[in-house]
Amino acid sequence: MASVHESLYFNPMMTNGVVHANVFGIKDWVTPYKISVLALLYEMTASKITLPERRKLNKLILPLQQGPDLTLGQFLETVEECSPQTAYAVKIRLHEMADGELKDMEFFFSTIPTQFTAFDSEAYKTSVVGLFIRHMLLAYNKLSFSQVYKLYKSLQHYYHSHYAKPADEHTEDTEGDRMDKEELDTTLHEGDSAPSRGPLSQKQAEYFLARQAYLLKNDENKALKPAALQEELNNMLKFNPDFAEAHYLNYLNSMRVQDIFLSTHSLLHYFDRLILSGNEGKSNGDEGYGRSLRYAALNLASLHCRFGHYHQAELALHEAVRIAQESNDHVCLQHCLSWLYTLEQMKGSDSTVLTEDSVKMAAHFCLPYLASLGIQSLVQQGATQGKTAHKLMDALKDTDILHWKHSLSELIEISLAQTTSIWRMYGKSTMALQQAQLLLNMSSLEPVNFGVQQNNTEAFAVVLCHLAELHAEQGLYSTASQIIQHLKERFPQHTQHAKLWMLCDLKIQFEKHMNEGKYNLAEPLVTAICALNKTEGLYRKAQVLKALNCSTEAYSILQELQAHCEKTKCTEMVIRVMLSTAELHWESSGFSTALPLLLQALALARQHHLQSLASETILHLSFTQLMLGVPEQALNVLHEAMEPILAHGSVMDKGRAMLLAARCQMAVAGFKPNQQGQADSRLVVLAVDSLNEAAAYFSKLDCKERLRDVHYLHAQLHHSLGQTAQRNKSAMLFRALDQELQSPPDAVRL
């Protein structure tokens, strides 16, 4: 796929075929800011600087040279952070020129060659610093006297504007002070009623585009905000509307804010300019024109895929396939095939055969990236279709070997995030936690550019969301809140992956309020969840309605949701809906009517190896059997789910399992309320221990309704054992919670 990194060409400004000023033909020109950079380099050579300060300044030189022009205040502040002594010396040097005469600036430029051509100078002719100095000297020497005078006046304005305002109001941009031929200045500013920024030089434009494209891919948080980046690109395109790569970066920026019109417009402009400029022809021979056309169609298809325009995406893909087949471009055809099976997945169709064909062909043409993506897609499909874990992990292991062999850092991250999600889906929270920590403690294999230590990609967002939910399940809400806060800082709201942590945060808050019985606080969250994920929102709406005893409305929503999830093959949600529907049957038509639904849910969970949901279903089955009067069978069934729940389950599931175990033990022991000495004391003691564990779990979640049930049973058991003090304590706790809740206990709640 063509990208902003692929080629950075700079084209003349053309209007109706007439060539105007070739803005990017000028390699570099002298500006007041660049004089400041020269002064910094001069002082670094002339004065003695400590080794730590020199190292900091050396790391600063390249961004200062290649980045956009800064105000004097920003420049001095940046230098002062590295070396206050050098910043002061630069300020004095600029003061001598700005408050002196033109000959002082002329003298400064005349002394630069002798300073940097000395035998012990660190700036070699071919070094970055040496080339920059030579470019500045050549550009300065080409200036006429009138242009030198304009540069001097501009330097004075640059220097004095810094001291004319307070330090916190330095918002004036001096990029408009860039110097070039008088004709260029006249052309650029002719007809402008307000001062505007001038064009970037070739190196500045290259650096700006490469930096922003890299950050958009790896750390969007550190890239410019969408509005600010749009402004910079508009300024760049104002001076050169045929600058193809700026249009592509504009497309990437528009995708961040889901602007379908501007993203399509910019993408089409990118390929139009690329074809018209002839750059593709220069680099790829006669195939360049056709190559641009087929990749234009492919990019357009991917754009429509992202916005859910499946018909338009399919048409664009067919066009790309047709052109690629005519040109015999196997690489482009493989990209088309990858998007074809992705499109089929988005439409809800089975794309296994297409994906397998894509993997085989990608391996045949030695395209490891596409082959690995195909295998990961097959693993994802296998997980939803009920494949066993060991088969999926073997496939991921093979792709990991491929990733490490070719140093595909991005795919390593995706593989670990996918493994985390698979273990979580299977209900193995410990394994999911291990995989999440493995990714979070792994440094990026890519070269560290622009201060990015670890990529802020979707894989990291997914893993951190899993981590937050795993902590919330164990009642560690403060830790989960800290993880969400870290996500907010790492992926701000304007970034494309922010929806992941928004949904995660809302789900955690919802479960917390539901566990605490605060249904009035949980209800407003449903609307926000629906906006991010309609399926999750409808399920939680049904939960709230069920808790508020609106059984009819809850049942209709659950039936609608089950039909939708069966159509989209979302097995996890189908099982959850079945369990909620069974709970509604408990309250209305009786426990026996819930059994077929629960058995169906259990078969589905075991078929897809969803251990967590299978254990939850067994809890429902055990409770149903207890209510139907077969406690021995209920206790035997419960023991089957107890081990996985205690090993991998949430705190709520552990508490419910222990509370249900206590109820079963009481029923098996023949316990009857308000009677002493008739029940099996051994089982009664076991029931007390189970209730103690359940109370500890529910206390972590501040689940007062279930704690009330625990204290009520505690009081009855202690009474039957003749333990008056413990009975009175439990009775007191029950009374306090009962008065606080002011609602009758739910007799048919698990």
Side-chain angles (χ1 to χ4, degrees):
M1 185 181 296
S3 72
V4 77
H5 300 291
E6 194 168 309
S7 57
L8 289 172
Y9 297 102
F10 298 87
N11 313 318
M13 293 173 64
M14 297 186 65
T15 308
N16 297 326
V18 181
V19 179
H20 295 295
N22 183 2
V23 175
F24 295 114
I26 302 160
K27 291 289 184 183
D28 235 328
W29 48 77
V30 186
T31 67
Y33 165 73
K34 288 176 181 174
I35 293 175
S36 304
V37 177
L38 285 173
L40 170 63
L41 295 172
Y42 184 91
E43 294 300 332
M44 286 176 64
T45 308
S47 58
K48 291 183 179 180
I49 308 174
T50 62
L51 186 60
E53 289 181 347
R54 182 171 293 279
R55 285 175 178 166
K56 292 179 182 178
L57 289 171
N58 286 341
K59 291 171 69 176
L60 189 65
I61 288 172
L62 190 61
L64 288 178
Q65 287 181 15
Q66 294 184 338
D69 288 6
L70 304 175
T71 63
L72 183 58
Q74 292 170 336
F75 173 74
L76 291 175
E77 183 181 352
T78 305
V79 176
E80 195 169 358
E81 290 176 359
C82 301
S83 174
Q85 176 189 350
T86 308
Y88 179 74
V90 171
K91 192 187 299 182
I92 296 298
R93 179 70 61 181
L94 293 175
H95 175 76
E96 291 174 355
M97 287 187 279
D99 279 4
E101 299 178 356
L102 181 58
K103 64 179 182 180
D104 295 308
M105 187 180 74
E106 184 71 27
F107 176 76
F108 172 71
F109 275 94
S110 65
T111 57
I112 289 177
T114 56
Q115 184 68 31
F116 287 98
T117 54
F119 179 75
D120 57 346
S121 174
E122 296 182 4
Y124 300 101
K125 287 184 178 181
T126 56
S127 66
V128 175
V129 173
L131 289 172
F132 173 75
I133 294 167
R134 288 167 65 191
H135 286 163
M136 289 298 101
L137 289 174
L138 286 170
Y140 180 77
N141 291 332
K142 286 181 180 179
L143 296 177
S144 64
F145 179 77
S146 60
Q147 290 173 333
V148 171
Y149 181 73
K150 280 185 68 177
L151 175 61
Y152 177 66
K153 284 295 183 183
S154 184
L155 177 64
Q156 285 185 320
H157 177 71
Y158 179 75
Y159 179 80
H160 291 300
S161 63
H162 170 62
Y163 296 101
K165 296 180 181 180
D168 60 340
E169 294 181 2
H170 293 159
T171 57
E172 182 175 354
D173 197 325
T174 60
E175 291 183 13
D177 295 329
R178 295 189 179 92
M179 301 304 300
D180 187 38
K181 299 179 181 179
E182 290 178 339
E183 294 80 12
L184 178 58
D185 286 333
T186 306
T187 303
L188 295 178
H189 298 289
E190 186 176 4
D192 289 351
S193 57
S196 62
R197 290 176 292 179
L200 295 173
S201 68
Q202 177 178 350
K203 288 186 177 178
Q204 286 177 323
E206 286 178 351
Y207 180 79
F208 177 79
L209 288 174
R211 182 175 190 272
Q212 293 302 317
Y214 181 88
L215 291 175
L216 283 181
K217 177 178 178 288
N218 294 314
D219 193 353
E220 191 181 342
N221 190 23
K222 292 185 179 179
L224 288 177
K225 300 291 193 299
L229 182 55
Q230 185 69 52
E231 185 181 352
E232 292 290 337
L233 291 171
N234 287 344
N235 181 64
M236 192 179 293
L237 291 169
K238 180 175 69 175
F239 296 107
N240 188 357
D242 294 326
F243 187 13
E245 284 70 24
H247 283 292
Y248 192 82
L249 190 60
N250 206 359
Y251 154 69
L252 295 178
N253 189 43
S254 304
M255 289 294 295
R256 298 164 70 189
V257 293
Q258 302 293 302
D259 188 338
I260 176 65
F261 174 77
L262 189 56
S263 55
T264 308
H265 178 80
S266 300
L267 183 63
L268 294 176
H269 270 290
Y270 167 67
F271 284 102
D272 287 346
R273 267 52 179 186
L274 207 61
I275 293 168
L276 292 173
S277 65
N279 290 325
E280 284 289 317
K282 292 175 186 176
S283 59
N284 298 285
D286 296 334
E287 286 296 312
Y289 180 82
R291 182 177 186 275
S292 291
L293 284 178
R294 53 186 176 266
Y295 276 103
L298 181 59
N299 275 271
L300 194 60
S302 70
L303 173 67
H304 285 304
C305 272
R306 290 187 176 96
F307 284 102
H309 305 157
Y310 301 137
H311 180 63
Q312 293 92 326
E314 194 170 0
L315 292 176
L317 267 177
H318 289 162
E319 179 70 10
V321 169
R322 183 185 63 79
I323 303 173
Q325 284 176 337
E326 290 176 358
S327 306
N328 202 24
D329 187 345
H330 297 293
V331 176
C332 184
L333 283 171
Q334 281 310 114
H335 281 285
C336 292
L337 187 54
S338 298
W339 274 108
L340 198 58
Y341 73 68
T342 303
L343 179 61
E344 290 300 317
Q345 287 179 16
M346 289 179 171
K347 289 161 64 176
S349 305
D350 186 9
S351 61
T352 307
V353 176
L354 275 175
T355 312
E356 289 174 351
D357 290 342
S358 175
V359 172
K360 291 174 184 176
M361 295 303 293
H364 176 71
F365 290 110
C366 298
L367 300 171
Y369 190 92
L370 291 179
S372 179
L373 279 179
I375 294 172
Q376 290 181 342
S377 180
L378 283 172
V379 168
Q380 185 176 350
Q381 292 177 58
T384 57
Q385 292 170 2
K387 301 288 185 183
T388 54
H390 73 273
K391 290 183 179 179
L392 301 181
M393 295 306 159
D394 285 344
L396 285 176
K397 181 190 69 176
D398 294 337
T399 60
D400 286 340
I401 294 171
L402 199 64
H403 300 158
W404 290 104
K405 180 180 178 181
H406 296 278
S407 297
L408 300 173
S409 176
E410 182 183 2
L411 294 183
I412 293 171
E413 295 166 6
I414 293 174
S415 177
L416 287 170
Q418 192 176 43
T419 308
T420 304
S421 300
I422 289 172
W423 282 126
R424 183 96 194 282
M425 184 189 74
Y426 283 147
K428 306 288 187 180
S429 60
T430 308
M431 293 300 298
L433 193 62
Q434 181 194 51
Q435 293 296 312
Q437 293 291 353
L438 189 60
L439 176 57
L440 295 174
N441 286 283
M442 187 186 77
S443 298
S444 173
L445 294 179
E446 294 182 1
V448 179
N449 293 328
F450 310 117
V452 178
Q453 300 295 333
Q454 198 177 55
N455 296 336
N456 283 354
T457 53
E458 185 180 13
F460 282 92
V462 169
V463 162
L464 284 167
C465 287
H466 280 309
L467 206 60
E469 290 180 352
L470 287 169
H471 280 82
E473 285 177 0
Q474 301 305 317
L476 305 172
Y477 289 113
S478 59
T479 307
S481 178
Q482 290 175 4
I483 296 171
I484 294 294
Q485 184 60 37
H486 176 70
L487 277 162
K488 290 178 181 179
E489 295 170 0
R490 198 160 172 177
F491 302 92
Q493 289 189 355
H494 67 270
T495 58
Q496 58 183 333
H497 303 313
K499 288 183 179 180
L500 294 171
W501 64 256
M502 288 180 185
L503 181 60
C504 174
D505 188 24
L506 289 169
K507 285 161 68 176
I508 289 172
Q509 289 183 48
F510 180 87
E511 294 300 332
K512 183 175 185 291
H513 293 321
M514 291 296 289
N515 290 339
E516 293 173 356
K518 299 175 181 177
Y519 309 127
N520 59 322
L521 297 177
E523 194 171 5
L525 298 175
V526 171
T527 307
I529 295 173
C530 277
L532 295 170
N533 189 316
K534 190 175 180 181
T535 304
E536 293 283 349
L538 283 174
Y539 173 66
R540 280 159 177 77
K541 184 177 182 180
Q543 282 187 304
V544 172
L545 289 172
K546 184 164 64 69
L548 296 174
N549 296 320
C550 301
S551 302
T552 307
E553 294 90 336
Y555 183 77
S556 61
I557 290 174
L558 288 172
Q559 291 299 105
E560 178 188 345
L561 187 58
Q562 183 173 346
H564 171 73
C565 292
E566 286 175 350
K567 184 179 178 181
T568 57
K569 299 179 181 178
C570 184
T571 309
E572 288 181 88
M573 187 56 72
V574 169
I575 296 171
R576 293 186 189 281
V577 169
M578 285 180 173
L579 296 181
S580 296
T581 308
E583 290 173 3
L584 289 176
H585 284 311
W586 292 346
E587 299 172 2
S588 57
S589 54
F591 291 93
S592 58
T593 58
L595 276 175
L597 201 60
L598 291 174
L599 291 172
Q600 186 182 352
L602 182 60
L604 202 58
R606 285 177 171 169
Q607 179 187 342
H608 288 79
H609 308 284
L610 306 176
Q611 186 188 70
S612 176
L613 288 174
S615 300
E616 191 173 348
T617 308
I618 290 173
L619 284 184
H620 283 71
L621 274 172
S622 178
F623 181 74
T624 304
Q625 289 175 326
L626 176 65
M627 293 294 105
L628 289 172
V630 280
E632 296 86 357
Q633 184 64 27
L635 193 58
N636 291 333
V637 170
L638 180 60
H639 284 157
E640 183 183 344
M642 192 65 75
E643 184 178 341
I645 287 176
L646 294 178
H648 301 285
S650 65
V651 171
M652 174 58 76
D653 288 340
K654 292 174 184 176
R656 290 194 304 171
M658 297 311 299
L659 178 57
L660 181 57
R663 285 175 171 174
C664 291
Q665 287 162 351
M666 290 168 64
V668 171
F671 174 82
K672 294 181 181 179
N674 303 320
Q675 293 186 11
Q676 294 184 2
Q678 294 183 1
D680 186 345
S681 59
R682 183 182 62 84
L683 286 175
V684 170
V685 171
L686 285 176
V688 170
D689 294 337
S690 299
L691 287 174
N692 288 335
E693 286 191 52
Y697 291 132
F698 291 139
S699 297
K700 280 187 179 181
L701 301 173
D702 195 25
C703 189
K704 294 179 180 178
E705 289 186 348
R706 285 184 166 82
L707 276 173
R708 177 176 63 180
D709 296 340
V710 171
H711 293 317
Y712 176 76
L713 294 176
H714 249 150
Q716 288 190 337
L717 290 175
H718 287 307
H719 177 71
S720 68
L721 293 173
Q723 299 170 345
T724 309
Q726 290 91 328
R727 180 201 63 188
N728 292 343
K729 180 182 177 182
S730 298
M732 181 189 67
L733 291 172
F734 166 77
R735 182 186 176 113
L737 287 174
D738 192 50
Q739 289 178 343
E740 181 182 346
L741 294 172
Q742 294 183 348
S743 61
D746 191 350
V748 292
R749 181 183 58 207
L750 174 58

